[in-house]
């Protein structure tokens, strides 16, 4: 699978490490979150069949984190942007 | 001999001698083993895997299910794909091949290539496509799995086109990555080709019709017979019957006649007839050494022909039956890449739907045929018996097994495949797969198109592990990391252990010492005198920027606000779930300049983790991270007399406990070597970690050894390091912790700040994380001080409890201590801190070890030695 690094261009997937779902915001005030809300942040992640916003880091390259949208069925990738908030 | 006097693309000027099952035969250059065996009238090549039935050559290439042979160490090759070379020694498989005990000696490499157009298949269709693309100026690669001499005639191909022969494309992956195996003398190459456009000109495989006793030697695919006659100049028989359901066989009779083969009958489904059974030659008795595995036992003697509507049958003697049930487009690669296949009623086959982007399927692979067909998949036998109707010849699966699967309620072709094993042989069901689909349809009353095919998966042909591995074997399997001092360790007899990719000295045996004796001696030296260890493998992250302090405070559970330049502090990191992730020492080197050490194995993960937060959550923080693990060598000088060694090297430095206290950093130089000195200890003793740029690492180590020699300085390895730290109750992340352990579980609440926010903080208040009966870190002293608990041993509360007794903990570290004169262990134990002084039990294989629970510290609880 070729992954489009926003800094280095298309590279083989072995150069990258997977960072899980994107768009999981760190709670602005963790201490204010109740147990259920905090557990959702820590443990609950989407696992769709289809398009998924993901974070990747170009570990064996520029070491930058970025986000993209990958179709988990076809591996079709829509480039995202630097950083991981997406 | 059944070699024809003329014809074929073989080189009759170059005879080739080979042996099969111990008999010497002769063929020609350009033969395959299969064509040469047929030329020598060898009809029985192998015995089938389950029923041991005699089998002969059935096809001409990758689709061959029968003629499986062992060639040297290769346990399972298709005779149709073995190029004949002088001295070849082959044996027919008696069911299964034998793996060799010898390591692979072949040479295998990997090649990476890119092109605009990759054409798979060097037949007329593929050659035309390659030519057209090359003329446009595209970089073109044309693959063909055969050593096809006709490709040599394919002149006029521009230099921007490359032809790879003996190369089988076996996998098509997303974004048009094609994996191909190239066979070469004494090895091969694994090609990884990235193509903008892939053209599949892979042709089609003929399929058989299933009837009683359809597996006898002498029964072949009709197109295969033509290939043997025309390409190899071989007559695979003398008297032939053609059994067909389509017009592609119209040319077969003419080819047979040109080869002098008598056509005894043409049995055409379209004319209402079918072959309903076959009879076999009886075995010669006694077996003739002259014919060897040849003509005799089990090969085809005659066929029984009957009208499809029933009625009188007739027997026709023959030694060759040419069967054609139609053609299946070779759509394996297309399907692997998630392309869909749809059923084509006109040609009774599954064809690519043409919707896969950047993949074009041409020719027979796209079902561009010009024959007419009346589909017939299965011919009932004469007696209602289905046990010799072979659907999958290689797997020896008959209609009976399919009936059993369907009778058990299976409807999906995927289920029937797994139940019957149809299509799971090394031929991957190339002649059986579509017949299986049709028979599932027949047996369950579904239309074939509705049944659908099984999912095709790579590899299209068997690929050896040696080819996959290439040069990534033994020392080249994974990078090996060595410290700058490694050569000294080797020269002084160190025994090494792997820590991640690092080679670390495990212990330094003297003379005949075993590991236990060496480690006890090394520990004693560190506790009583002075010892030295190479700690260069510690992970090191350089942290710079105006917000570095804020960043560290967020990453670590403890705060660094009060840490002055020139000092260091132990730090602990948690994941967001509150569990311990890694630990190390954070050094404050200058304004906005810090350095954090990590565990040896955790260096890369810690850097990734830090970068993740910095880049994704806190991009506003002005901080830069750099891995400097390899930049520094770290010589740890340890023990009550370590100060004497350091003083010899740095006579001008104030080394007293007040001027250079625990956790302080000083700069120095010895013999031209720049050194940063840290009073850090991982043993609990007075100790100095001497850091120098790695260029000087070996020189510094040798200087330390020279300075320590009068005192008898002792090098020690990771095992003694582990014992020393465990005696002090210092945890190792990844040994005491396993991703389910909090700082509080370790009894390290003292390092968890209540004044500032850090990653994982909120999780420490979760109901599960905060409960009192979690597993705690404790010490264990086996009541028998000679008994060494195995690490990982489970702990229970009752010595003779009932079966199913609850496990309450496990041993995480266990050693023999020179200092304590006995064994000891660390463990994670449920409610452990409430169980001090009580007894727990470790049921082992055959006996139970009792141990007393203690605080997890066994030595110098007051830290007098550390701070001295």
């Amino acid at each position: 699978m070729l992954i489009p690094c926003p800094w280095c261009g298309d590279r083989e997937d072995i150069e990258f490490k997977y960072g899980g779902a994107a768009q999981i915001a760190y709670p602005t005030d963790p201490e204010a979150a109740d147990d259920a809300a905090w557990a959702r942040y820590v443990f609950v992640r989407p696992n769709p069949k289809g398009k998924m916003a993901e974070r990747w880091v170009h570990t064996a390259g520029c070491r930058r984190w970025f986000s993209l949208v990958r179709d988990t069925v076809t591996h079709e990738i829509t480039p995202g942007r630097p950083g991981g908030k997406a | 001999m059944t070699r024809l006097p003329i014809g074929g693309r073989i080189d009759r000027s170059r005879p080739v001698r080979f042996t099969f099952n111990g008999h010497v035969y002769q063929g020609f250059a350009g033969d395959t083993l299969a064509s040469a065996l047929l030329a020598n009238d060898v009809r029985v090549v192998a015995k089938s895997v389950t029923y041991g039935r005699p089998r002969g050559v059935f096809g001409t290439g990758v689709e061959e299910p029968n003629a499986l042979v062992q060639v040297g160490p290769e346990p399972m090759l298709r005779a149709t794909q073995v190029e004949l070379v002088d001295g070849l020694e082959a044996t027919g498989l008696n069911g299964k091949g034998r793996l060799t005990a010898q390591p692979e000696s072949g040479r295998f490499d990997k090649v990476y290539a890119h092109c605009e157009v990759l054409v798979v298949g060097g037949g007329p269709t593929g050659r035309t496509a390659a030519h057209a693309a090359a003329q446009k100026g595209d970089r073109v690669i044309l693959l063909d799995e055969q050593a096809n001499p006709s490709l040599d005639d394919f002149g006029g191909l521009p230099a921007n086109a490359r032809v790879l022969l003996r190369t089988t494309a076996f996998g098509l992956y997303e974004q048009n990555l094609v994996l191909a195996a190239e066979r070469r003398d004494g090895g091969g190459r694994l090609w990884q080709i990235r193509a903008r456009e892939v053209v599949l000109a892979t042709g089609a495989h003929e399929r058989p019709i299933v009837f009683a006793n359809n597996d006898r030697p002498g029964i072949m695919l009709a197109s295969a017979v033509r290939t043997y006659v025309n390409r190899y100049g071989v007559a695979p028989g003398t008297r032939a019957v053609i059994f067909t359901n389509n017009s592609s066989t119209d040319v077969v009779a003419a080819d047979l006649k040109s080869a002098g083969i008598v056509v005894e009958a043409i049995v055409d489904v379209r004319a209402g007839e079918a072959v309903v059974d076959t009879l076999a030659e009886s075995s010669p008795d006694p077996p003739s050494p002259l014919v060897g595995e040849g003509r005799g036992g089990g090969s085809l003697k005659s066929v029984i022909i009957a009208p499809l509507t029933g009625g009188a049958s007739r027997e026709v003697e023959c030694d060759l039956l040419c069967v054609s049930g139609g053609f299946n487009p070779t759509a394996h690669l297309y399907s692997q890449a998630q392309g869909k296949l749809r059923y084509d009623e006109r040609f009774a086959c599954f064809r690519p739907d043409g919707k896969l982007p950047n993949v074009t399927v041409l020719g027979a692979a796209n079902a561009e045929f010009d024959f007419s067909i009346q589909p017939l998949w299965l011919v009932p036998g004469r007696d209602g018996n289905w046990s010799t109707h072979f659907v999958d010849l290689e797997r020896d699966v008959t209609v009976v097994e399919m009936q059993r699967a369907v009778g058990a309620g299976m409807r999906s072709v995927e289920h029937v495949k797994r139940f019957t094993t149809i299509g799971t042989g090394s031929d991957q069901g190339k002649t059986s797969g579509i017949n299986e689909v049709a028979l599932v349809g027949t047996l369950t009353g579904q239309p074939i198109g509705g049944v659908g095919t099984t999912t095709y998966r790579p590899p299209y042909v068997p690929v050896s592990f040696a080819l996959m591995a290439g040069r990534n074997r033994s020392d080249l399997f994974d990078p090996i990391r060595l410290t700058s001092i490694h050569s000294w360790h080797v020269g002084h007899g160190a025994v090494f252990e792997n820590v991640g990719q690092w080679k670390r000295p495990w212990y330094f045996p003297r003379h005949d010492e075993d590991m236990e004796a060496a480690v006890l001696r090394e520990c004693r030296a560190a506790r009583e005198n002075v010892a030295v260890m190479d700690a260069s493998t510690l992970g090191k992250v350089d942290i710079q920027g105006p917000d570095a302090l804020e960043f560290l405070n967020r990453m670590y559970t403890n705060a660094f606000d009060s840490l002055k330049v020139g000092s260091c502090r132990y730090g602990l990191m948690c994941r967001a779930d509150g569990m311990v992730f890694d630990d190390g020492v954070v050094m404050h080197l200058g304004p906005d300049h810090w350095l954090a050490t990590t565990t040896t194995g955790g260096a890369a993960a810690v850097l990734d983790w830090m970068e993740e937060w910095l880049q994704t959550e806190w991009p506003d923080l002005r901080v830069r991270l750099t891995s400097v693990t390899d930049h520094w060598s770290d010589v740890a000088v340890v023990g009550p007399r370590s100060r004497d060694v350091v003083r010899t090297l740095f006579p001008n430095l104030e080394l007293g406990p007040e001027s250079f206290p625990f956790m302080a950093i000083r700069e120095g130089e010895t013999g031209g070597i720049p050194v940063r000195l840290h009073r850090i200890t991982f043993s609990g003793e007075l100790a100095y970690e001497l850091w120098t740029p790695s260029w000087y690492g070996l020189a510094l180590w040798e200087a330390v050894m020279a300075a320590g020699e009068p005192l008898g300085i002792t090098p020690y390895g990771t095992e003694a390091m582990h014992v020393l730290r465990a005696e002090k109750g210092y945890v190792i992340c990844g040994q005491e912790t396993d991703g389910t352990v909090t700082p509080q579980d370790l009894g390290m609440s003292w390092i968890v700040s209540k004044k500032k926010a850090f990653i994982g903080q909120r999780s420490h208040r979760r109901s599960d994380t905060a409960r009192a009966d979690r597993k705690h870190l404790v010490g264990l002293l086996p009541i028998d001080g000679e008994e060494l608990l195995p690490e990982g041993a489970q702990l229970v509360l009752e010595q003779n409890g009932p079966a199913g007794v609850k496990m309450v903990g496990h041993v995480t570290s266990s050693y023999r201590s020179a200092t304590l004169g006995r064994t000891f262990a660390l463990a994670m134990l449920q409610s452990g801190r409430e169980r001090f002084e009580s007894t727990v039990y470790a049921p082992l294989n055959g006996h139970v070890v009792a141990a007393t629970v203690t605080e997890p510290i066994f030595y110098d609880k007051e830290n007098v030695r550390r701070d001295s």
Side-chain angles (χ1 to χ4, degrees):
Chain A
M1 185 165 65
L2 287 178
I3 293 176
C5 170
W7 307 100
C8 309
D10 286 353
R11 299 294 177 116
E12 288 284 353
D13 55 11
I14 54 167
E15 296 184 13
F16 297 83
K17 215 173 82 175
Y18 186 55
Q23 299 169 344
I24 307 291
Y26 189 67
T28 45
D29 184 2
E31 291 305 309
D34 63 19
D35 267 14
W38 181 250
R40 263 198 306 282
Y41 163 71
V42 175
F43 300 115
V44 180
R45 290 295 180 273
N47 183 25
K49 180 180 180 183
K51 294 197 182 307
M52 170 155 172
E54 300 177 333
R55 300 182 313 159
W56 291 80
V57 58
H58 196 183
T59 312
C62 63
R63 243 174 54 208
R64 306 307 290 172
W65 284 83
F66 58 93
S67 65
L68 50 74
V69 175
R70 181 178 63 102
D71 190 306
T72 58
V73 178
T74 63
H75 290 326
E76 189 188 345
I77 289 174
T78 312
R81 57 177 116 156
K85 287 198 167 172
Chain B
M1 290 284 281
T2 53
R3 180 76 70 180
L4 300 171
I6 55 164
R9 257 191 264 129
I10 48 171
D11 186 350
R12 291 171 195 261
S13 69
R14 289 167 59 203
V16 174
R17 284 166 64 86
F18 68 102
T19 66
F20 182 71
N21 287 354
H23 302 276
V24 178
Y25 297 105
Q26 183 189 302
F28 293 113
D31 262 327
T32 63
L33 177 59
S35 67
L37 288 172
L38 289 171
N40 285 279
D41 210 17
V42 176
R43 320 214 76 203
V44 178
V45 177
K47 297 279 175 62
S48 72
V49 66
T50 303
Y51 303 114
R53 287 170 69 104
R55 295 281 167 82
V57 174
F58 188 73
T60 55
V62 290
E63 78 285 2
E64 175 62 46
N66 277 348
L68 301 173
V69 296
Q70 174 132 14
V71 180
E74 289 288 345
M76 201 179 210
L77 297 178
R78 263 153 266 284
T80 53
Q81 289 193 291
V82 176
E83 279 181 55
L84 200 66
V85 292
D86 220 31
L88 183 87
E89 293 181 13
T91 50
L93 289 199
N94 192 357
K96 290 175 184 158
R98 294 178 312 279
L99 279 175
T100 173
Q102 301 300 314
E104 172 65 55
S105 60
R107 280 194 6 192
F108 296 89
D109 270 309
K110 293 176 183 171
V111 189
Y112 300 83
H114 298 80
C115 61
E116 276 72 49
V117 179
L118 172 69
V119 182
V120 183
T125 303
R127 297 204 299 269
T128 307
H131 207 270
Q135 278 179 334
K136 280 197 299 179
D138 286 341
R139 289 173 299 171
V140 175
I141 297 176
L142 173 62
L143 306 181
D144 194 273
E145 66 180 355
Q146 300 185 31
N148 191 340
S150 74
L151 281 172
D152 299 338
D153 308 333
F154 187 43
L157 209 64
N160 52 327
R162 177 171 200 175
V163 178
L164 297 173
L165 299 179
R166 300 182 175 87
T167 306
T168 308
F170 64 81
L172 173 58
Y173 301 84
E174 53 274 347
Q175 293 145 325
N176 278 353
L177 173 68
V178 172
L179 262 55
E182 180 188 5
R183 304 186 300 280
R184 294 168 68 88
D185 283 346
R189 286 173 170 174
L190 177 67
W191 286 80
Q192 301 189 38
I193 305 169
R194 185 77 69 175
R196 198 174 62 201
E197 186 80 19
V198 169
V199 176
L200 298 177
T202 44
H205 288 138
E206 195 166 23
R207 64 183 177 234
I209 298 171
V210 179
F211 49 89
N213 291 299
N214 58 338
D215 65 330
R216 301 202 191 282
I219 301 175
M220 299 174 69
L221 292 169
S223 59
V225 174
R226 294 189 65 209
T227 299
Y228 286 114
V229 169
N230 296 321
R231 176 165 171 182
Y232 298 104
V234 171
T238 56
R239 304 167 70 192
V241 169
I242 298 168
F243 178 29
T244 183
N245 65 355
N246 65 81
S247 64
S248 78
T249 47
D250 291 355
V251 291
V252 175
D255 281 345
L256 293 174
K257 282 172 190 161
S258 75
I261 303 171
V262 178
V263 178
E264 299 285 352
I266 297 177
V267 182
D268 196 326
V269 171
R270 294 168 299 167
E273 275 195 322
V275 170
V276 297
D277 205 349
T278 69
L279 301 179
E281 301 276 358
S282 56
S283 297
D285 184 30
S288 159
L290 290 176
V291 296
E293 295 276 333
R295 181 168 282 277
S299 63
L300 186 66
K301 187 184 85 175
S302 64
V303 299
I304 310 295
I305 300 165
L308 281 166
T309 50
S313 64
R314 61 192 164 107
E315 179 175 355
V316 175
E317 289 203 5
C318 61
D319 58 2
L320 178 63
L321 176 61
C322 313
V323 183
S324 178
F327 288 82
N328 300 323
T330 309
H332 300 66
L333 295 175
Y334 190 86
S335 174
Q336 284 176 14
Q338 302 195 359
K340 296 281 180 287
L341 308 180
R342 60 182 170 75
Y343 190 67
D344 183 310
E345 295 284 349
R346 183 176 166 207
F347 295 112
C349 66
F350 286 90
R351 69 190 294 179
D353 68 357
K355 291 180 183 164
L356 204 57
N358 305 317
V359 175
T360 307
V361 191
L362 296 177
N366 195 35
E368 290 161 18
F369 297 127
D370 60 355
F371 59 79
S372 61
I373 182 169
Q374 178 180 326
L376 177 70
W377 309 95
L378 182 61
V379 182
R382 291 179 288 171
D383 52 4
N385 185 347
W386 298 98
S387 65
T388 64
H389 285 69
F390 287 91
V391 182
D392 188 321
L393 290 164
E394 180 169 350
R395 293 295 307 148
D396 244 5
V397 178
T398 70
V399 170
V400 171
E401 281 83 28
M402 290 201 63
Q403 289 170 329
R404 224 172 260 149
V406 172
M410 293 173 209
R411 293 294 177 272
S412 158
V413 69
E414 298 280 10
H415 292 158
V416 173
K417 170 183 176 172
R418 281 153 185 80
F419 183 83
T420 61
T421 78
I422 288 174
T424 62
S426 65
D427 65 346
Q428 293 270 292
K430 290 184 180 66
T431 56
S432 62
I434 303 302
N435 282 351
E436 180 207 6
V437 173
L439 296 187
V440 168
T442 305
L443 293 170
T444 61
Q446 307 174 68
I448 295 173
V451 175
T453 64
T454 56
T455 307
Y456 294 88
R457 293 192 178 85
Y460 168 67
V461 291
V463 178
S464 72
F465 286 116
L467 181 71
M468 292 287 192
R471 305 236 174 172
N472 301 112
R473 297 162 61 182
S474 58
D475 278 357
L476 296 181
F477 176 68
D478 200 34
I480 294 172
R481 301 177 77 180
L482 306 175
T483 74
S484 62
I485 308 164
H486 186 78
S487 60
W488 191 96
H489 305 321
V490 172
H492 290 77
V495 176
F496 291 89
E497 74 165 334
N498 295 328
V499 182
Q501 293 171 332
W502 289 101
K503 298 280 180 202
R504 297 198 69 179
W506 196 10
Y507 57 97
F508 291 86
R510 278 187 189 161
H511 312 299
D512 300 334
E513 266 181 346
D514 62 8
M515 178 169 167
E516 188 178 313
V519 171
L520 288 172
R521 173 179 53 73
E522 290 171 14
C523 288
R524 209 173 289 121
R527 290 273 182 246
E528 296 170 6
N529 186 20
V530 58
V532 57
M533 189 187 69
D534 179 359
S536 307
T537 61
L538 272 183
K540 306 170 195 78
V541 182
D542 195 76
I543 302 164
Q544 299 196 37
D547 296 320
L549 172 62
E550 173 64 21
F551 175 69
L552 290 169
N553 278 341
R554 295 184 193 182
M555 294 303 302
Y556 286 86
T557 62
N558 48 330
F560 294 92
D561 303 81
S562 62
L563 189 64
K564 294 188 177 67
V565 171
S567 302
C568 38
R569 179 172 293 167
Y570 176 76
L572 194 66
M573 262 185 273
C574 289
R575 294 265 187 191
D577 61 6
M579 303 302 155
V580 171
F581 168 43
D582 204 83
D583 66 349
V585 173
V586 175
M587 295 140 181
H588 197 174
L589 298 178
D592 304 336
H593 188 189
W594 305 69
L595 191 149
T597 66
T598 75
T599 56
T600 294
V606 169
L607 183 61
D608 278 349
W609 176 246
M610 287 179 161
E611 288 282 13
E612 177 181 347
W613 286 88
L614 202 50
Q615 292 178 34
T616 67
E617 290 294 342
W618 309 322
D620 52 310
L621 289 186
R622 293 161 299 165
V623 179
R624 288 291 178 268
L625 308 174
T626 309
S627 168
V628 293
T629 299
D630 300 85
H631 300 201
W632 296 94
S633 291
D634 180 357
V635 180
V637 186
V638 176
R641 298 175 79 183
S642 59
R643 186 174 281 129
D644 299 339
V645 175
V646 174
R647 185 177 292 119
T648 306
L649 293 168
F650 304 92
N652 299 327
L653 272 185
E654 291 285 338
L655 296 177
E658 285 77 31
S659 43
F660 189 3
F662 180 59
M663 284 298 188
I665 305 174
R666 296 290 180 268
E667 301 282 344
E669 188 194 301
T670 181
I673 305 168
V675 178
R676 189 184 292 160
L677 302 84
H678 313 71
R679 265 201 66 182
I680 300 171
T681 187
F682 195 43
S683 59
E685 294 298 327
L686 171 69
Y688 299 84
E689 288 196 8
L690 310 184
W691 287 30
T692 188
S694 283
W695 178 256
Y696 298 100
L698 180 57
L700 176 61
W701 177 274
E702 288 177 334
V704 168
M705 292 306 297
E709 195 193 356
L711 302 175
I713 193 168
T714 302
Y716 71 100
T718 50
E719 188 64 18
M721 174 190 83
H722 279 110
V723 179
L724 295 168
R725 65 90 202 173
E727 289 171 349
K728 281 290 288 182
Y730 295 156
V731 299
I732 289 184
C733 291
Q735 181 146 345
E736 271 64 45
T737 72
D738 58 4
T740 69
V741 176
T742 67
Q744 295 83 353
D745 296 342
L746 296 173
M748 293 173 72
S749 299
W750 54 268
I751 204 170
V752 181
S753 171
K754 293 184 171 55
K755 294 179 188 153
K756 53 115 193 182
F758 59 89
I759 297 170
Q761 184 177 41
R762 174 63 184 80
S763 287
H764 292 155
R765 280 202 290 117
R766 288 183 59 242
S767 54
D768 183 63
T769 322
R771 70 190 153 81
D773 62 345
R774 289 178 61 86
K775 285 184 180 178
H776 301 150
L777 179 72
V778 297
L780 293 182
L781 289 173
I783 289 170
D784 175 355
E786 286 299 306
E787 189 80 58
L788 185 68
L789 283 163
E791 289 173 0
Q794 295 292 321
L795 302 173
V796 299
L797 295 176
E798 292 174 67
Q799 184 163 17
N800 296 307
V805 63
K806 192 181 172 201
M807 294 179 289
V808 293
H810 63 278
V811 175
T812 59
S813 297
S814 177
Y815 308 100
R816 230 173 262 287
S817 167
T819 309
L820 307 177
R822 54 163 299 135
T823 59
F824 73 106
L826 295 173
M828 295 302 296
L829 179 66
Q830 195 180 78
S831 303
R833 286 194 286 271
E834 295 160 26
R835 298 191 201 274
F836 292 155
E837 312 306 326
S838 71
T839 305
V840 293
Y841 302 91
L844 303 176
N845 194 14
H847 70 301
V848 176
V849 177
T852 304
V853 181
T854 72
E855 276 186 87
I857 180 166
F858 303 91
Y859 180 72
D860 188 27
K861 286 178 195 175
E862 299 75 26
N863 291 322
V864 173
R865 303 177 70 88
R866 183 192 78 181
D867 298 338
S868 62

